[in-house]
Amino acid sequence: MRRLLLRVIPLLALALPIAAAASAPVGLPPYAQAYQPQGTDERGLWMLADEDERTLRDSKFLINDPALQAYVGGVLCRAVGEDRCRGVRIYLVRVASFNANMAPNGTMQVWSGLLLRVRSEAELAAVLGHEFAHFELRHSLAGFRQRRTATDIAVWAAFLGQYGPAIQQGAIGSIFQFSREQEKQADLLSLKYAMQSPYSAQAASHIWQRLMDEADATALGRKQRSQRYDRVAFFSTHPTNLERASYLSTLSADVAAKPEEEERYTVALARWLPEFLSDQLKLNDFGGTEYLLSSLAGEHWTAPLLFARAELYRQRGNPRDLVAAADFYRSAIGADPDLAEAWRGLGLCLMRNRQQAEGAAALQNYIRLRPQAADISMLHAMIGE
């Protein structure tokens, strides 16, 4: 048995990842244009990715906005360089959660929840650069091969008697540790992109800090305990947000400050902001959404943000929430008197609070502004017309 262990344990060690160097990144690796998959494994991965892309291309969740598409593509090109970004096809997907991912064939998905949460071109560039780094480092292929090796070891360890479970646990754990190391490698390479781009290298750490704050607000709103950010769970595929915020902040601390381009990002996203806020409200996450709205507003509450906050309180629907919601609707109308949906929300809110006359007046304003709306007949019936 000892002899068998001496054979298996070195194989297990080979499957374990090499720890990412925690040193400041310098220089970009050479980049080859028009890369083609090599070997059976990689060609198989690309074939699957091609098939997924065909399905994605026809998805009803895609955001069909050429202007926004071109804007996000432009940010990627400025982040990683024109030569690198040419091989990427970006798909904007309407999903309210924070996420982006990159397939081995050059397909990049960017979810609307991510677009809602980043604050500047520099932050968007940091995320896009991270995903592109996975692509450039061929992480999908390396991850596939590592998982295959680890699961092979886990299967063979079943024949090792009392030593088997420990080896199986180590093999399975190495899969998740390998994934976490890949995330660190992508973070470090994306930092190299940022240093050579027109964007601030410090922006990346800001994202992870705010995501921790939002997660804490979500937990508080649901009366749950806050997540632990100082330790990594066994099955975690990513480093903790605290670890990422810490090493990205440390490594970028001495880099010269560059623009974050917050205003340009706000202008580019303005058309879609109400839609993305509407998606966020459907997540039934009062604490997290309240934090997100306050964070987006800063010291300036715009009409779309006030309306979204009013909707958030009206949806929760406690009597005190309806009072607050009515105030937020009035503020939204004060900022934009033609915001029809705010008149509708105010009317419904007031009628729910038994303020029939005031509610009917507000609903009549909505009917005036949206005479062709689908709910006009129902609202006429509510106000007795």
Side-chain angles (χ1 to χ4, degrees):
M1 181 62 70
R2 287 175 59 85
R3 184 178 301 172
L4 184 55
L5 278 175
L6 289 173
R7 292 178 182 174
V8 171
I9 289 176
L11 288 175
L12 182 58
L14 286 174
L16 295 175
I18 300 170
S23 56
V26 287
L28 290 176
Y31 184 73
Q33 292 282 358
Y35 175 82
Q36 292 300 309
Q38 308 295 315
T40 304
D41 290 343
E42 193 166 18
R43 285 198 295 271
L45 284 174
W46 279 53
M47 184 183 69
L48 292 173
D50 288 344
E51 199 59 40
D52 289 342
E53 186 177 1
R54 290 188 190 95
T55 303
L56 176 65
R57 192 175 52 190
D58 299 325
S59 170
K60 64 179 181 181
F61 294 105
L62 281 186
I63 299 173
N64 186 21
D65 183 343
L68 185 62
Q69 182 87 26
Y71 173 76
V72 175
V75 173
L76 173 65
C77 289
R78 287 190 287 279
V80 303
E82 292 287 344
D83 56 338
R84 283 176 159 79
C85 78
R86 287 194 200 111
V88 177
R89 297 166 307 286
I90 298 177
Y91 294 87
L92 306 179
V93 187
R94 195 161 169 181
V95 181
S97 301
F98 180 94
N99 197 18
N101 58 68
M102 186 93 200
N105 68 340
T107 306
M108 179 184 286
Q109 288 190 41
V110 181
W111 290 8
S112 56
L114 184 152
L115 296 174
L116 180 63
R117 285 167 173 78
V118 298
R119 297 286 179 277
S120 64
E121 282 189 12
E123 291 188 2
L124 178 60
V127 178
L128 300 181
H130 171 91
E131 296 304 325
F132 185 85
H134 282 306
F135 173 64
E136 182 163 358
L137 296 172
R138 312 276 184 263
H139 275 170
S140 296
L141 176 64
F144 169 77
R145 287 174 172 165
Q146 196 277 339
R147 288 190 296 276
R148 185 172 59 190
T149 302
T151 51
D152 284 350
I153 291 172
V155 170
W156 282 106
F159 300 100
L160 298 179
Q162 59 178 321
Y163 301 103
I167 294 174
Q168 286 177 321
Q169 185 179 22
I172 299 302
S174 73
I175 295 175
F176 297 96
Q177 187 176 355
F178 192 83
S179 175
R180 293 193 293 272
E181 291 301 330
Q182 287 187 325
E183 293 298 326
K184 288 182 183 177
Q185 291 166 10
D187 280 338
L188 296 179
L189 183 51
S190 69
L191 201 54
K192 291 182 183 176
Y193 299 146
M195 289 175 180
Q196 302 191 29
S197 78
Y199 297 121
S200 164
Q202 290 80 20
S205 65
H206 302 164
I207 303 169
W208 302 112
Q209 185 62 54
R210 283 203 309 276
L211 287 178
M212 284 188 286
D213 292 341
E214 183 181 337
D216 286 344
T218 295
L220 183 63
R222 292 174 176 168
K223 297 182 171 43
Q224 298 171 341
R225 287 192 301 178
S226 174
Q227 297 180 31
R228 293 293 303 268
Y229 300 110
D230 58 347
R231 65 177 63 170
V232 177
F234 182 80
F235 293 110
S236 177
T237 57
H238 290 62
T240 67
N241 289 348
L242 176 62
E243 183 181 0
R244 301 179 85 167
S246 298
Y247 64 66
L248 287 170
S249 175
T250 300
L251 294 175
S252 63
D254 297 329
V255 180
K258 294 178 187 174
E260 297 223 2
E261 303 294 1
E262 295 175 355
E263 196 169 329
R264 285 203 319 206
Y265 185 76
T266 301
V267 171
L269 205 67
R271 177 189 165 192
W272 284 95
L273 181 63
E275 304 293 332
F276 294 167
L277 290 172
S278 176
D279 294 341
Q280 173 66 27
L281 291 172
K282 293 170 186 167
L283 294 180
N284 193 26
D285 175 10
F286 185 90
T289 304
E290 173 74 343
Y291 166 82
L292 182 59
L293 292 173
S294 299
S295 173
L296 285 167
E299 296 180 355
H300 178 60
W301 283 87
T302 62
L305 293 174
L306 285 163
F307 172 71
R309 196 177 192 189
E311 290 283 279
L312 178 69
Y313 277 75
R314 185 170 70 88
Q315 285 179 5
R316 193 166 71 169
N318 293 319
R320 56 188 164 80
D321 291 328
L322 295 178
V323 174
D327 286 341
F328 296 141
Y329 283 127
R330 291 189 182 99
S331 298
I333 292 168
D336 181 2
D338 292 332
L339 186 56
E341 287 72 21
W343 285 110
R344 180 183 184 278
L346 177 61
L348 294 175
C349 213
L350 292 174
M351 295 194 82
R352 183 81 179 274
N353 265 345
R354 301 183 178 183
Q355 296 172 265
Q356 302 294 336
E358 297 91 335
L363 289 177
Q364 283 169 340
N365 276 324
Y366 170 72
I367 293 170
R368 174 177 58 82
L369 291 167
R370 290 279 190 275
Q372 304 301 322
D375 56 355
I376 291 297
S377 299
M378 180 194 72
L379 295 178
H380 274 303
M382 285 184 68
I383 61 180
E385 291 183 345

